[in-house]
Amino acid sequence: MSKLWSGRFSETTHELTDELNASIDFDKRLYFFDIVGSQAHAEMLARQGIIPVDDAKKIVEGLDAICADIEQGKFEFSRADEDIHMAIEAELTARIGEAGKRLHTARSRNDQVAVDFRMYIRQEGSEVIALILDFILTLTNVAETHIGSVMPAYTHLQRAQPATLAHYLLAYCSMLTRDVTRLENCLDRLNESPLGAGALAGTTHDIDRFMTASLLGFRGPMINSLDAVSDRDFALELLSDLSILAMHLSRYAEEIVIWNSHEFRFVEMADAFSTGSSIMPQKKNPDLAELARGKTGRVYGDLIALLTVMKGLPLAYNKDMQEDKEPVFDALDTVKLVLKVINEMTATMKINAARMKKAAQEGFITATDMADYLVRRGLAFRESYTVVGQLVKYCIDSEKTFETLTLEEYKSFSEAFEDDIFAAIDLENCIAGRKSFGSPAPEFVREQLQTMRVFLREHAVTLGEEE
Ligand code: ARG
């Protein structure tokens, strides 16, 4: 079959050329946006008197029919067509004749692919946002029921200070809200239309770029035609945002792997979200959390791949840029699947609050609280820090805990200790006694929960998902 661009060629292309050159195997995903982009372009051409109104009508209807066929799996994609843009245009002309040949007036595949890809990312990006919101909601719901569930928080994976499960999960919620706003920001910035930039220098036809921009839901046309066809920042921003998101999900997944271990047993994954071992009959493995962690590598890889593709390209379009699509598709598919799985896994996991509390009772986790107690009794913090350090050493040597020491033993380290030391190092009191904004004390955790609820409401509304 001869190519749409075969005019100046006398030989047909080698099959290896087609194999390397063609992108249709993957860019067929853009079909819907290619069609609506072409429809807007045709309507504009007619409105400006550049093509007959009748032809525009045939184009729009012809494209609707092609769209329906693609959706019903009745469209045959062929590598000979090279890419989705030429496949659709060739099919349109085959179906409606002359009118189809007018569609590409005042347009190039360079502005065409750029506008299609922006619309695709705009759509998929908001699906990712919706999935993050689902996950924030799940975490918020779990947190709500664990405001009083004391657990150790760690530094260096060593028990450090008491926190609560609610506070812990809300830390992830805070991270995820930044992922949402980062993506919203990216989608807002990309929402300018490259259509009408032509190959790179616009056109001699009197087109209306403002009209096509507005028909396609863009804020307006991009102001520089060269930039419009050369820019892939929007794809890179998306991949950067997805990389940070994947990193957050990976850190959470790592918590789950640790918490689900027999040594911790803070949580237990539902059977539906666990796997077994082919040799060790006793095993129930957190493979899905591990995959969520492992998939992060490919998302970073997608970002690095596209950064590398773009780094040496002179303006304007170069075929290298066809390599922008697969990394974006892969990162979107990966992150969406991981978000769905992590969300369900979290909603269905069993939480062992008693184990968490027990872990918090060991390891001198209230040492800082004890030092604070002595400060309230007049000691300088550095002095109280030393006293408590000596007490910890004494306890380790004599196999005792803070709770099992007598007041006399306390007093032998500092006269400042009184009977109320026992209440001061009680875990619940330690949490409730946290007075600083943002701490795990129930009043601040309730405030965080409230903030999340407001965030969810506001952002669901932006996505048009108001209940
Ligand atoms: N398939 C191409 C891509 O995805 C479309 C643009 C082709 N433009 C060109 N001048 N060859 O980048």
Side-chain angles (χ1 to χ4, degrees), residues 116-161:
D116 293 1
F117 203 26
R118 278 173 191 260
M119 288 191 281
Y120 180 86
I121 290 183
R122 193 172 63 183
Q123 162 73 30
E124 288 279 317
S126 51
E127 281 172 31
V128 174
I129 292 174
L131 290 171
I132 305 175
L133 293 175
D134 286 347
F135 185 36
I136 296 177
L137 177 62
T138 298
L139 288 171
T140 305
N141 287 340
V142 177
E144 186 108 60
T145 59
H146 288 281
I147 299 177
S149 302
V150 181
M151 67 176 283
Y154 301 79
T155 58
H156 316 274
L157 207 51
Q158 306 282 316
R159 288 170 199 159
Q161 294 188 337

Side-chain angles (χ1 to χ4, degrees), residues 5 21-24 26-27 30 82-85 108-114 199 232 317-325:
W5 42 252
N21 191 43
S23 53
I24 191 148
F26 51 86
D27 68 16
L30 299 177
E82 198 173 314
D83 60 23
I84 187 67
H85 322 291
S108 154
R109 267 187 299 159
N110 299 349
D111 56 343
Q112 188 179 356
V113 72
R232 292 295 182 271
Y317 179 84
N318 301 269
K319 192 73 172 217
D320 315 45
M321 289 159 74
Q322 182 164 280
E323 288 296 304
D324 60 357
K325 277 161 222 81

Side-chain angles (χ1 to χ4, degrees), residues 246-313:
M247 177 270 288
H248 289 158
L249 299 177
S250 179
R251 294 181 74 173
Y252 178 75
E254 169 70 2
E255 310 271 13
I256 297 296
V257 171
I258 294 173
W259 293 356
N260 188 62
S261 71
H262 196 72
E263 285 68 16
F264 273 73
R265 271 180 289 145
F266 286 3
V267 297
E268 188 186 339
M269 298 296 100
D271 284 358
F273 291 95
S274 307
T275 50
S277 155
S278 62
I279 176 171
M280 296 167 281
Q282 83 283 12
K283 293 291 285 290
K284 180 171 158 187
N285 295 329
D287 286 29
L288 294 164
E290 291 167 32
L291 280 166
R293 194 174 58 187
K295 294 277 184 195
T296 308
R298 31 183 323 149
V299 180
Y300 292 180
D302 293 327
L303 169 64
I304 299 299
L306 187 55
L307 280 169
T308 311
V309 165
M310 297 306 295
K311 73 172 269 292
L313 296 187

